[in-house]
Amino acid sequence: MLVQLTYASRTAGILGAIDVKDILTASKRNNALVGVTGALCLSNGIFLQQLEGDKTEVNALYHRLLRDERHRDPAILDFSEITQRRFGSWSMGLLSTLEENRQLFQKYSVTRDFDPYAMSIPSLRAFFSEVVDNVRWLG
Ligand SMILES: Cc1cc2nc3c(=O)[nH]c(=O)nc-3n(C[C@H](O)[C@H](O)[C@H](O)COP(=O)(O)O)c2cc1C
């Protein structure tokens, strides 16, 4: 069964550019091996990640991520069966948080700063739909 899982977490300590690069490199390598695709964004000290793939693989990955000490306060925001992937060509894409995406983040935020924890499930889904088409990717 194909599913998507969306969660948020907060960065633990000071997360540098190298850490983010490490996360992305490991994600691309490991996800490709198990057929997981998705997108990751980091803004306002909060990670928001959508994972899609086989239910068992997505669950296993999420449980592995919970053990990563680079983030804390994980919360599943959305989990559902899907008929097709959004990020089929991205084993893990990282969204740029630069100016070009700021408007998109703000459009779906109920607060002034980007706060995925406070977003409704329909807003999250709309956000990721728009991400696929309109976002600048870092890698
Ligand atoms: C916010 C966040 C998102 C991550 N996303 C993934 C991911 O999608 N896939 C993955 O394999 N590792 C991801 N990681 C890294 C894993 O926790 C772990 O460090 C990595 O998978 C270890 O890979 P390795 O054993 O091949 O070195 C993520 C880490 C963080 C903090």
Side-chain angles (χ1 to χ4, degrees), residues 18-80:
I18 294 173
D19 296 292
V20 177
K21 196 163 172 272
D22 278 356
I23 289 170
L24 200 64
T25 306
S27 300
K28 287 184 183 222
R29 185 182 59 235
N30 296 331
N31 296 359
L33 293 173
V34 293
V36 169
T37 50
L40 174 66
C41 54
L42 172 59
S43 182
N44 192 29
I46 299 175
F47 287 113
L48 174 63
Q49 187 172 32
Q50 185 164 86
L51 304 169
E52 50 188 26
D54 176 73
K55 184 164 75 174
T56 308
E57 298 296 350
V58 168
N59 264 291
L61 174 56
Y62 181 67
H63 282 275
R64 197 151 55 79
L65 297 184
L66 293 180
R67 296 198 297 269
D68 195 315
E69 291 181 350
R70 289 169 292 190
H71 60 171
R72 58 187 171 81
D73 303 340
I76 293 175
L77 305 179
D78 188 11
F79 179 83
S80 60

Side-chain angles (χ1 to χ4, degrees), residues 14 24 33 46 50-51 91 102 107 112-113 122 129 137:
I14 296 164
L24 200 64
L33 293 173
I46 299 175
Q50 185 164 86
L51 304 169
S91 52
R102 199 160 291 155
K107 181 173 163 188
R112 207 169 69 82
D113 294 321
S129 295
W137 297 95

Side-chain angles (χ1 to χ4, degrees), residues 115-130:
D115 182 8
Y117 289 97
M119 280 162 76
S120 68
I121 290 177
S123 288
L124 282 164
R125 291 182 182 176
F127 171 77
F128 278 108
S129 295
E130 223 176 293

